[in-house]
Amino acid sequence: MSVTTPSAQLTVQKLLQTLPQGLTLLQGSNDAIITEIVPPDKSHATALVFASEKALFDTAKAKGFGALCIPTSLQKHVSDNGKDTILVYKDLPQTFAALFPLFDKPVQNFSDSKFPTFVDPTAKLGKSVAVEPFAVIGRNCIIGNNCRIGSHCIIEEGTIIGDGTILHGHVFIGRNTKMGANCIIHANTTIGSDGFGFARQASGAMSKIPQLGIVVIEDDVEIGANCAIDRATMTETRIGRGTKIDNLCHIAHNCKVGENNVLAAGLFIAGSSQTGNFVTTGGGVMIADHVKITNQVMLAGKSGVTKDIETSGAYGGYPLQPLKESLKNIANIGNLTTMRKQLHRALKALNLEEEEK
Amino acid sequence: MSVTTPSAQLTVQKLLQTLPQGLTLLQGSNDAIITEIVPPDKSHATALVFASEKALFDTAKAKGFGALCIPTSLQKHVSDNGKDTILVYKDLPQTFAALFPLFDKPVQNFSDSKFPTFVDPTAKLGKSVAVEPFAVIGRNCIIGNNCRIGSHCIIEEGTIIGDGTILHGHVFIGRNTKMGANCIIHANTTIGSDGFGFARQASGAMSKIPQLGIVVIEDDVEIGANCAIDRATMTETRIGRGTKIDNLCHIAHNCKVGENNVLAAGLFIAGSSQTGNFVTTGGGVMIADHVKITNQVMLAGKSGVTKDIETSGAYGGYPLQPLKESLKNIANIGNLTTMRKQLHRALKALNLEEEEK
Amino acid sequence: MSVTTPSAQLTVQKLLQTLPQGLTLLQGSNDAIITEIVPPDKSHATALVFASEKALFDTAKAKGFGALCIPTSLQKHVSDNGKDTILVYKDLPQTFAALFPLFDKPVQNFSDSKFPTFVDPTAKLGKSVAVEPFAVIGRNCIIGNNCRIGSHCIIEEGTIIGDGTILHGHVFIGRNTKMGANCIIHANTTIGSDGFGFARQASGAMSKIPQLGIVVIEDDVEIGANCAIDRATMTETRIGRGTKIDNLCHIAHNCKVGENNVLAAGLFIAGSSQTGNFVTTGGGVMIADHVKITNQVMLAGKSGVTKDIETSGAYGGYPLQPLKESLKNIANIGNLTTMRKQLHRALKALNLEEEEK
């Protein structure tokens, strides 16, 4: 039994047409029927299966399949009678990105489309906007065509959202946010909360600095679940076109995240920092405030950035260093006790005191 | 004044009956009346009080109590006239787990049980299911008996939930999730958001890889507030039976968390990683992708796991090491400046350059 | 075009009256009209602009402005014909905190104020309480005057909220919470989820310890988006008066956070820990359980606290040290590989083995 819902019935020919540059038929039938994508150990007679290494290839063979997708490197293992349908892919992620949409049945949460919602009469909704149960759309909002506004979403006054954007359930969009087209925002994410700005009074108490700015999300941005992106103090917090942000990330006020960033879960960017284009981060990266990171920077998981990064490349660690150096230095933390003992013996052999007199 | 709402009026006898193997009456009355559990400094004539050390014992004595629970080690301090009701416990957490339910009045948020909700006509609800205001239950969902679906929860199409499961407010459950019986999910948690999967195009832009899989939560799982658990790419993300997850945790697509894990707040597990059974983590642990952790592993707070852990035991640090080594190495980070100065003096005494020629 | 909505039309005189001790008119007109605050590069003829350094001053001059606010240190650059309106500020954050409210138009999400909500008939609401769409207020709750209860908020039974408190959308407040006056809670935050308490049974399975306590939030507290604050086991989790908490923070059961703390994003405090008054933390700080931190402590970003801090001052690192020491030791992590090589050469020169025999 597969855990995915069968969502399609299509032929191998359809797969080849979908990715003409990236997928070729090595042997077998254009007309083989495919009903779903499964991993090798769940394969069956109408399954499309990917095997990136020999062991998975063997598993799929043993189970049977509708079509088997392999890299060039596994072609030499295809030694059967030619009846099996075998496809060769060039690039696995590209192939997933091209073929998976064929099997991704759109969510259909409700049997019909009449829901209790609260849309302010001044809000303007485009064509074919799905507003799910209990969603709230405030005064003077403008929602583009073909958007999906998930259940319980809150869109505060003056927000503009481009065509084709999807908000999953429980998304909060603060007033005057500008969001582009074809964005995807996952559940329980907050966009446009107040930036964290206060002035310490003589008494020691903090006075709030109202946050007058907004958040701007450009086109094709995806933001994971349970993230928080703060509005700017005066101007805008901006997420650049095509950037993808994972779950539980925090982006503070006045930040400017560049285009086509890929930012893994647990990223914390403090106020007014900037990333260039094509920046990627591993999990749990922390970026201090007022830091500027140039284009094409890769930050390893758990790294901490406290200064500008002016040269493209891979970095890691805290303190941040070029990745290779950082990996060696981090590994050597594991040798510290040994090093200290060695050092003690060296000092003793030299008749030197632990502390300089 | 106690901060807890008096929720019970019961006798010491009832306490003893509830935990016959773990609680004994040292002296006093089976019939003493207990109305609530309070800490020693808030004790009063009908309070049940726990004193694990002498100072707390003295505080409770000074305040008076309905019954005082002590460990064996404090018995020697009981030297009064025998009128005070004193109980002796074997194991404090076990005693809490057994007795606290007697004082835990079920939430009764509303004066009656008629609420505006949105339950799709195709959804099937078991007996005695409490669906709180504005909850949304989608197409073809199946909800077991005696469940509580909190206010504003969203349960997307095709989700199955077992008997006795409690969803607190604002929980999001993505389509086709399979959740077991007697689970508890806290507020603002997201289960079944898309995994973070993309393919980089030649242009540098990222194409989304649709996430076709689901999340499976086995029986008796508790998940804290504001967590995010992603659906799998093809198959399932699974949380094993009896596992408890604290607040603000992230579990990425394709992960398999074992049974009876206890995972403290701020845990981030990247894609496709696995934990065995009886794994425990302190706060802020990060586990990289495609890592496999065996059974009965304890990970100290702030540790970072980047490789498989094949041997049960306690570990910590980043790089990860057996706990004892790790604690020493972490402590020695605090000696680094001193060590560097010592090393400099040793090199100087040896007429060696800082850098090898 | 400015990104902020023009929200005011007022004179320079009004600004001076608002902050008589902190703002003086260096030259120009009391009657100059101001419509909004913008950064120097977006300045225009009716803008109020702040220039803290020479380059921003020049930008504002080139763009024109309604009034320009500068620090004393920039006065020497004011050498024009005296027609420009120039103000001198004493303290920038104080000036922001005083003047920004003049430009902060209250949110008006909806064209009128009739919404579908669910307020239990036993709940008591003060005067001028705004209950936004789909908010839920439970049995026996008491809400003070002039509160704003955002869309989709859930306030569970027995909760008390003081005057003037604002809950943004999707806030969850667990039963019996006591919240003071003039608090601000941002979207998707959870207050009063169960503490993470379990007892391990002989079988290895965990039994839940019901959490009987509550959360108390004192006056003037602000809590960011997507935070989680757990209810206490028996008594209370308390956040002291005037404390400000950033996004994505976790505060576990039984914690007592002092007054006027300023706690940046990603703070995790484990169970039963305490902070004094005037404690500040940088991003990503972790505090272990049962730790007590005294007044006026500053913790640098990414620091880890595992022991009591008994002396006021600045600290950082993990292991935690006084800040200056910690910064040097952290920097030296970046020298570890070099140090190890140096040590190797010293041992070799001394004819010492790597490992002591």
Side-chain angles (χ1 to χ4, degrees):
Chain A
M1 191 205 75
S2 155
V3 295
T4 61
T5 311
S7 59
Q9 174 154 340
L10 44 80
T11 60
V12 164
Q13 189 163 23
K14 173 71 178 170
L15 303 180
L16 294 164
Q17 285 166 352
T18 301
L19 191 61
Q21 306 303 320
L23 201 62
T24 52
L25 182 66
L26 182 66
Q27 66 169 48
S29 167
N30 261 328
D31 299 325
I33 295 293
I34 303 296
T35 58
E36 63 174 347
I37 299 176
V38 295
D41 63 324
K42 310 228 179 213
S43 190
H44 56 73
T46 63
L48 175 63
V49 181
F50 291 84
S52 56
E53 50 191 66
K54 181 66 165 53
L56 298 172
F57 178 94
D58 293 340
T59 303
K61 287 281 293 177
K63 289 271 180 177
F65 48 77
L68 177 62
C69 262
I70 59 172
T72 317
S73 60
L74 290 184
Q75 282 194 43
K76 60 190 170 201
H77 301 296
V78 180
S79 55
D80 58 31
N81 58 13
K83 282 189 178 164
D84 283 347
T85 298
I86 312 272
L87 301 162
V88 177
Y89 65 77
K90 273 195 190 159
D91 177 285
L92 192 60
Q94 301 281 7
T95 309
F96 281 5
L99 300 188
F100 277 34
L102 302 175
F103 298 88
D104 187 27
K105 201 170 51 168
V107 175
Q108 194 195 331
N109 279 325
F110 309 105
S111 297
D112 65 37
S113 57
K114 285 196 174 176
F115 311 121
T117 61
F118 193 83
V119 180
D120 193 88
T122 62
K124 288 178 188 155
L125 273 61
K127 294 175 191 166
S128 302
V129 174
V131 182
E132 297 200 341
F134 308 122
V136 172
I137 300 178
R139 215 166 50 93
N140 297 326
C141 288
I142 301 172
I143 313 293
N145 300 322
N146 302 308
C147 287
R148 177 183 162 212
I149 309 301
S151 292
H152 296 110
C153 283
I154 299 170
I155 304 178
E156 289 200 326
E157 63 161 325
T159 292
I160 298 171
I161 295 181
D163 293 349
T165 283
I166 294 169
L167 308 185
H168 288 272
H170 295 141
V171 170
F172 176 91
I173 310 282
R175 59 183 158 134
N176 300 321
T177 296
K178 292 182 183 170
M179 191 179 298
N182 300 313
C183 293
I184 301 173
I185 315 295
H186 288 281
N188 287 315
T189 275
T190 302
I191 293 173
S193 37
D194 283 354
F196 195 63
F198 303 92
R200 182 80 76 179
Q201 301 304 313
S203 68
M206 305 300 289
S207 293
K208 182 175 178 68
I209 298 174
Q211 303 291 300
L212 305 176
I214 64 169
V215 176
V216 179
I217 310 275
E218 299 183 358
D219 295 345
D220 301 315
V221 168
E222 182 161 347
I223 301 175
N226 294 74
C227 291
I229 299 180
D230 282 349
R231 65 176 52 253
T233 309
M234 277 192 271
T235 56
E236 59 181 44
T237 304
R238 181 176 285 264
I239 311 294
R241 190 168 46 133
T243 284
K244 314 299 182 187
I245 301 176
D246 201 350
N247 298 339
L248 287 160
C249 292
H250 160 77
I251 296 175
H253 56 177
N254 316 320
C255 284
K256 185 174 183 301
V257 173
E259 298 181 4
N260 293 307
N261 285 206
V262 179
L263 308 172
L267 174 70
F268 283 74
I269 311 185
S272 302
S273 286
Q274 299 186 18
T275 68
N277 299 331
F278 302 110
V279 170
T280 63
T281 60
V285 169
M286 307 210 74
I287 299 175
D289 58 293
H290 293 88
V291 162
K292 199 169 175 177
I293 297 175
T294 191
N295 296 331
Q296 279 157 311
V297 166
M298 192 284 274
L299 296 168
K302 280 176 87 69
S303 48
V305 184
T306 54
K307 295 174 188 166
D308 290 358
I309 303 179
E310 293 171 353
T311 307
S312 300
Y315 297 85
Y318 178 63
L320 196 80
Q321 296 185 301
L323 184 59
K324 278 189 188 172
E325 287 177 45
S326 138
L327 290 173
K328 284 182 200 163
N329 281 314
I330 290 169
N332 274 323
I333 292 174
N335 296 317
L336 266 174
T337 306
T338 302
M339 285 171 67
R340 198 166 178 216
K341 284 182 191 161
Q342 290 172 341
L343 189 51
H344 181 78
R345 286 164 54 224
L347 292 173
K348 199 173 167 189
L350 288 164
N351 283 313
L352 291 171
E353 303 289 327
E354 295 278 320
E355 301 255 345
E356 191 164 22
K357 302 278 161 149
Chain B
M1 194 202 76
S2 156
V3 295
T4 61
T5 311
S7 57
Q9 174 155 339
L10 43 80
T11 60
V12 164
Q13 189 163 24
K14 173 72 178 169
L15 304 180
L16 293 164
Q17 286 167 351
T18 302
L19 191 63
Q21 306 304 320
L23 201 61
T24 51
L25 182 67
L26 182 66
Q27 66 169 51
S29 167
N30 261 328
D31 300 325
I33 296 292
I34 303 296
T35 58
E36 62 175 347
I37 299 177
V38 296
D41 63 324
K42 309 224 180 220
S43 191
H44 56 73
T46 63
L48 175 64
V49 181
F50 290 85
S52 55
E53 50 192 67
K54 181 65 165 55
L56 298 172
F57 178 94
D58 292 340
T59 303
K61 287 279 294 178
K63 288 270 180 182
F65 48 78
L68 176 62
C69 262
I70 58 172
T72 318
S73 60
L74 291 184
Q75 283 193 45
K76 60 189 170 200
H77 301 295
V78 180
S79 55
D80 57 32
N81 57 13
K83 283 190 177 165
D84 284 346
T85 298
I86 312 272
L87 302 161
V88 178
Y89 65 78
K90 272 194 191 160
D91 176 286
L92 192 59
Q94 302 281 6
T95 309
F96 281 4
L99 300 188
F100 277 33
L102 301 176
F103 297 87
D104 188 27
K105 201 170 50 169
V107 175
Q108 192 194 332
N109 279 325
F110 309 106
S111 298
D112 65 34
S113 57
K114 285 195 174 176
F115 311 122
T117 61
F118 193 84
V119 180
D120 193 88
T122 62
K124 287 177 191 157
L125 274 60
K127 293 175 192 165
S128 302
V129 173
V131 183
E132 297 201 341
F134 307 122
V136 171
I137 300 178
R139 215 167 50 93
N140 298 326
C141 289
I142 301 171
I143 313 294
N145 299 324
N146 303 308
C147 287
R148 177 182 162 212
I149 309 301
S151 292
H152 295 109
C153 283
I154 300 171
I155 305 178
E156 289 201 326
E157 62 160 326
T159 291
I160 298 170
I161 295 181
D163 292 349
T165 283
I166 293 170
L167 309 185
H168 287 272
H170 294 143
V171 170
F172 176 91
I173 311 281
R175 59 184 157 134
N176 299 321
T177 296
K178 292 182 184 171
M179 191 178 298
N182 301 314
C183 293
I184 300 174
I185 315 294
H186 288 281
N188 287 314
T189 276
T190 303
I191 293 173
S193 37
D194 284 354
F196 195 63
F198 304 91
R200 183 80 75 179
Q201 301 303 314
S203 68
M206 305 302 287
S207 292
K208 182 175 179 69
I209 298 173
Q211 303 291 300
L212 306 175
I214 65 168
V215 176
V216 179
I217 311 275
E218 301 182 357
D219 295 344
D220 301 316
V221 168
E222 181 160 347
I223 300 175
N226 294 74
C227 291
I229 300 179
D230 282 348
R231 63 177 54 252
T233 308
M234 279 191 270
T235 56
E236 60 181 42
T237 305
R238 181 176 285 264
I239 311 295
R241 189 168 45 133
T243 284
K244 314 298 182 189
I245 300 176
D246 201 350
N247 298 339
L248 287 160
C249 292
H250 160 77
I251 296 174
H253 55 179
N254 316 320
C255 284
K256 186 174 184 298
V257 173
E259 298 181 4
N260 294 308
N261 285 205
V262 179
L263 308 173
L267 173 70
F268 283 74
I269 312 186
S272 302
S273 286
Q274 299 186 19
T275 68
N277 299 332
F278 303 109
V279 170
T280 63
T281 61
V285 169
M286 307 209 74
I287 300 174
D289 58 291
H290 292 88
V291 162
K292 199 169 175 176
I293 297 174
T294 190
N295 296 331
Q296 279 156 311
V297 166
M298 192 284 274
L299 296 168
K302 281 177 85 69
S303 48
V305 185
T306 54
K307 296 174 189 166
D308 290 359
I309 302 178
E310 294 171 354
T311 307
S312 301
Y315 297 86
Y318 178 62
L320 195 80
Q321 297 186 301
L323 184 60
K324 276 190 190 171
E325 286 176 46
S326 139
L327 289 174
K328 284 183 201 163
N329 281 314
I330 290 169
N332 274 323
I333 292 174
N335 295 318
L336 265 174
T337 305
T338 302
M339 285 171 68
R340 199 168 177 215
K341 283 182 190 163
Q342 290 172 339
L343 189 52
H344 180 78
R345 287 164 53 224
L347 292 173
K348 198 173 167 189
L350 288 164
N351 283 313
L352 291 172
E353 303 288 329
E354 295 277 318
E355 301 257 342
E356 193 164 21
K357 302 279 159 150
Chain C
M1 193 203 79
S2 154
V3 295
T4 60
T5 311
S7 58
Q9 175 155 337
L10 44 79
T11 60
V12 164
Q13 189 163 22
K14 174 71 177 171
L15 304 179
L16 293 164
Q17 286 166 352
T18 302
L19 192 63
Q21 306 303 321
L23 201 62
T24 51
L25 182 66
L26 181 66
Q27 66 169 50
S29 167
N30 260 328
D31 300 325
I33 296 292
I34 303 297
T35 57
E36 63 174 346
I37 299 176
V38 296
D41 64 324
K42 310 226 179 218
S43 190
H44 55 73
T46 63
L48 175 63
V49 180
F50 291 85
S52 56
E53 50 192 66
K54 181 64 166 55
L56 298 172
F57 178 92
D58 293 339
T59 303
K61 286 282 292 178
K63 289 272 180 179
F65 47 78
L68 176 63
C69 263
I70 59 172
T72 317
S73 61
L74 290 185
Q75 283 195 45
K76 60 189 169 200
H77 301 295
V78 180
S79 55
D80 58 32
N81 58 13
K83 283 190 178 165
D84 284 348
T85 298
I86 311 273
L87 301 162
V88 178
Y89 64 78
K90 273 194 191 160
D91 177 286
L92 193 59
Q94 302 282 7
T95 310
F96 281 6
L99 299 188
F100 277 34
L102 302 176
F103 297 87
D104 188 28
K105 202 169 49 169
V107 175
Q108 194 195 332
N109 278 324
F110 310 105
S111 297
D112 65 35
S113 56
K114 286 197 172 174
F115 311 121
T117 61
F118 193 84
V119 180
D120 193 88
T122 62
K124 288 177 188 154
L125 274 61
K127 294 175 192 165
S128 302
V129 174
V131 183
E132 297 201 342
F134 307 122
V136 171
I137 300 178
R139 213 166 51 93
N140 298 326
C141 288
I142 300 173
I143 313 293
N145 300 322
N146 303 307
C147 287
R148 177 182 163 212
I149 310 300
S151 293
H152 295 110
C153 283
I154 300 170
I155 304 178
E156 288 200 328
E157 64 161 323
T159 291
I160 297 171
I161 294 180
D163 293 349
T165 283
I166 295 170
L167 309 184
H168 287 272
H170 294 141
V171 170
F172 176 91
I173 311 282
R175 60 184 156 134
N176 300 321
T177 296
K178 292 182 182 169
M179 190 177 298
N182 301 313
C183 293
I184 301 174
I185 315 293
H186 287 281
N188 286 314
T189 276
T190 303
I191 293 173
S193 37
D194 283 354
F196 195 63
F198 303 91
R200 182 80 76 180
Q201 302 303 315
S203 67
M206 305 300 289
S207 293
K208 183 174 177 71
I209 297 173
Q211 303 291 299
L212 305 176
I214 64 168
V215 177
V216 179
I217 311 276
E218 299 182 358
D219 295 344
D220 301 315
V221 168
E222 182 161 346
I223 300 175
N226 293 76
C227 292
I229 300 180
D230 282 350
R231 65 176 54 251
T233 309
M234 278 192 270
T235 56
E236 59 182 42
T237 304
R238 180 176 286 265
I239 311 295
R241 188 168 47 131
T243 284
K244 314 299 182 186
I245 301 176
D246 202 351
N247 298 338
L248 286 159
C249 292
H250 161 77
I251 296 174
H253 54 178
N254 317 320
C255 284
K256 184 174 183 301
V257 173
E259 298 182 3
N260 294 306
N261 284 205
V262 179
L263 308 172
L267 173 70
F268 283 74
I269 311 185
S272 302
S273 286
Q274 299 186 19
T275 67
N277 299 332
F278 303 109
V279 170
T280 63
T281 61
V285 169
M286 308 209 74
I287 300 174
D289 58 293
H290 293 88
V291 161
K292 199 169 175 178
I293 297 175
T294 190
N295 296 331
Q296 279 156 313
V297 166
M298 192 285 273
L299 296 168
K302 281 176 86 68
S303 47
V305 185
T306 55
K307 296 175 189 165
D308 289 359
I309 302 178
E310 294 171 353
T311 307
S312 301
Y315 297 86
Y318 179 64
L320 195 80
Q321 296 185 301
L323 184 60
K324 277 190 190 171
E325 287 176 46
S326 139
L327 289 174
K328 284 182 199 162
N329 281 314
I330 290 169
N332 274 323
I333 292 174
N335 296 318
L336 265 174
T337 306
T338 301
M339 285 171 68
R340 199 168 177 214
K341 284 182 190 163
Q342 291 172 340
L343 189 52
H344 181 78
R345 287 165 53 225
L347 292 173
K348 198 173 168 189
L350 288 164
N351 282 315
L352 291 171
E353 303 289 329
E354 295 277 320
E355 300 253 345
E356 192 164 22
K357 302 279 160 146

